[in-house]
Amino acid sequence: MRLLIRQLLLPLDYEDKDVLPVAARKLGCKEYLISDLKITRRSVDARARREAPVFSLTVEVALNADTLPVQSPDIEIIPEKKTLTASHFSLLTSHFSLRPIVVGAGPAGLMSALSLAQAGASPILIERGAEAAERTRQVSRFWKHGELNPESNVLFGEGGAGLFSDGKLTARSKDRPRVRRFFQTLADCGAPDSILIDAEPHLGSDALLRIVPNLRKRIEQFGGEIRLNSRLENIMVENGVLRGVVVNGEFIRTDACILAAGHSARDVYEILATAGVALEPKPFAIGVRLELPQHRIDQAQWGKWAGHPRLGAASFRLTRKKDEQFRACYTFCMCPGGSVIACASSPGELTTNGMSLSRRAEKFGNAAFLVPVGPEDFHLTPRPPSLKGKGEMSCSPLRFGEGLGEGLAGCHFQSGIEKAAFIAGGSDYSLPVCLLTDFLSGKTSKELPKELSCRRARAADIHSILPAYVSETLIRAIPDMLKWLKGVQMEEAVLYAVETRSSSPVRILRDEKGRSVNIKGLFPAGEGAGYAGGIVSSAIDGLCAAEAVLTEVRS
């Protein structure tokens, strides 16, 4: 029988040979009865009740016995499972009268295109930005000189917005077969095998720059076509049915389009709204990105074991619940040993994000501290709160897109804040920054630390960028949240503005089968569709979208 064994505790310096004896003790059997041992998950348990951090392993084994020697909630018999494979929806190219189109080369688009290609559908993947290597050069010029390419930048291009990030592969999805399929695809394209077992795996932007082009080549090997520097300019709909798309002035007939354009392609949302695609404004979150010395975070999380080579740079996840006066606040996209980066997809607008390389070896760690906003907020554009009237919301009505309805309200709200950030940063794509202590006291920092992770940053009044209710929530929440990181000094913390693109401000409505609710042949997917958040959930959503297309063709 095959068993799943959880909670095998091993010291930080364990070796592979040490796992079998621990598994045998857990099962209460002799070692020779166990074979085919495979580690399926590994996490660090550094809770204060332990004398030292330990690794907690989950393993699969084959047990040469008819009955379980020990009954335990940590031991489970593995039933035979049917898993999804590339051949699960295997179809011949002749079944497709027209080639399906995939829009966007982020995680959702890449995995959609790969799945369709493996099924023989010969998809065409279009991406407005450049291939990863050229995109990296363009982004470098933006960070160094403020030269923005609106079509290919930190947010647009091969690999999607996640290419310049920490490459976190946090997987909270219970859809283990698809998660495994995605991780195995990454490993086949050059990712380390450790991502298959680590509880919180990450790749780093340097690794992604090698992996993503290999994934593109894999799609091409299975018969898919990749068109980079190719912008979706329109979709053609007739009587509620998709008839084709316009790309770089060329009309391409298709009856199936997976729309995985990401959460920053506002022009795509406008195209959809004009075509009558059902949209609605979606809650998202805005805030700041906080930077701390990484060694403080390591000491707070690992104690005297900080610096152990098998622990690496520590991360954190903090939350504060809403109360009668203030909104909730939570951290997002924590980047250990990384950098804060400027992002923009439109001239005159600015947002921020975090990025780490695979070694996570830089001096600082950073995380977004976010406050939820929703459709009830989108009809108001924030004005700087007066220091005399803290906590009061000063605002005026926003004018939304002419004739495009309320679906884009969140985009306009988001855009207004990013324009304010651009101006506050000096109108040259430098990030507005201030000391946390000055932010808490309502001051503008006159001097900044000599060392910051961001190359281009300028002292600014961050309160002038954010709505008053967001500023006031952050003032209340951040000190309370940082108390959980013992030893962290608030005087060493720096805030960058503004964090606005943690998720999409729009949801493209779809049914339970993944199809647009009112346009036949359109399949919204990923973060931009409003149904995913992060690399893994986007990739899983992309796989589901491809399966929905294949099922539609087969039916």
Side-chain angles (χ1 to χ4, degrees), residues 80-352:
E80 290 188 14
K81 296 179 181 179
K82 293 182 179 180
T83 59
L84 294 171
T85 65
S87 60
H88 185 75
F89 287 97
S90 182
L91 297 172
L92 298 175
T93 307
S94 59
H95 287 168
F96 287 82
S97 57
L98 297 169
R99 298 171 72 181
I101 303 294
V102 178
V103 179
L110 289 168
M111 290 307 295
S112 290
L114 178 61
S115 187
L116 289 172
Q118 288 173 327
S122 301
I124 301 173
L125 171 62
I126 65 169
E127 166 56 53
R128 71 193 300 165
E131 54 89 18
E134 174 57 26
R135 184 184 173 200
T136 301
R137 291 188 285 270
Q138 293 164 338
V139 168
S140 179
R141 290 193 292 272
F142 171 70
W143 285 338
K144 289 180 180 179
H145 309 296
E147 298 176 9
L148 174 66
N149 182 335
E151 296 301 316
S152 188
N153 47 60
V154 185
L155 298 168
F156 296 157
E158 183 183 30
L163 188 69
F164 300 99
S165 70
D166 187 63
K168 278 178 282 293
L169 299 178
T170 304
R172 296 186 180 91
S173 170
K174 295 180 180 179
D175 188 351
R176 303 315 301 174
R178 290 188 182 90
V179 171
R180 179 74 183 190
R181 181 179 172 187
F182 175 48
F183 281 18
Q184 187 60 61
T185 297
L186 293 175
D188 293 342
C189 291
D193 288 341
S194 59
I195 67 170
L196 301 174
I197 62 172
D198 285 341
E200 296 185 358
H202 78 103
L203 296 170
S205 287
D206 51 338
L208 283 168
L209 286 169
R210 298 190 302 269
I211 294 165
V212 169
N214 290 336
L215 183 48
R216 182 218 315 156
K217 294 173 185 175
R218 194 173 180 84
I219 294 169
E220 292 171 333
Q221 288 169 356
F222 281 101
E225 179 183 350
I226 313 290
R227 298 188 187 182
L228 299 166
N229 300 302
S230 297
R231 188 168 183 257
L232 177 70
E233 296 175 335
N234 210 347
I235 65 169
M236 309 307 292
V237 176
E238 184 179 293
N239 297 323
V241 178
L242 179 70
R243 297 303 185 191
V245 298
V246 179
V247 179
N248 287 358
E250 176 191 358
F251 176 68
I252 305 174
R253 285 193 60 81
T254 187
D255 52 10
C257 175
I258 294 177
L259 195 63
H263 59 45
S264 293
R266 294 177 185 147
D267 58 332
V268 173
Y269 293 138
E270 291 179 359
I271 289 169
L272 299 178
T274 301
V277 178
L279 309 171
E280 67 179 12
K282 185 183 80 62
F284 63 110
I286 59 175
V288 295
R289 188 157 283 268
L290 183 146
E291 180 170 272
L292 288 165
Q294 182 61 43
H295 72 89
R296 297 286 193 196
I297 303 170
D298 294 343
Q299 290 168 357
Q301 300 292 65
W302 307 138
K304 66 181 180 181
W305 290 274
H308 191 288
R310 295 190 78 173
L311 286 174
S315 63
F316 60 81
R317 188 179 296 119
L318 305 171
T319 60
R320 186 182 185 278
K321 295 181 179 179
K322 67 177 182 179
D323 55 33
E324 294 181 358
Q325 189 175 1
F326 299 101
R327 302 190 183 202
C329 185
Y330 62 93
T331 60
F332 173 80
C333 186
M334 196 274 152
C335 296
S339 304
V340 176
I341 60 173
C343 307
S345 57
S346 301
E349 299 181 10
L350 183 64
T351 183
T352 187

Side-chain angles (χ1 to χ4, degrees), residues 397-447:
L398 264 181
R399 293 181 64 186
F400 301 113
E402 297 293 335
L404 296 183
E406 293 291 303
L408 304 186
C411 289
H412 290 273
F413 178 83
Q414 187 185 62
S415 175
I417 293 171
E418 291 175 5
K419 287 175 181 175
F422 176 75
I423 294 170
S427 300
D428 63 358
Y429 298 104
S430 296
L431 285 177
V433 63
C434 74
L435 300 175
L436 171 60
T437 50
D438 286 340
F439 178 82
L440 297 177
S441 60
K443 299 177 182 177
T444 300
S445 298
K446 295 181 179 179
E447 294 186 9

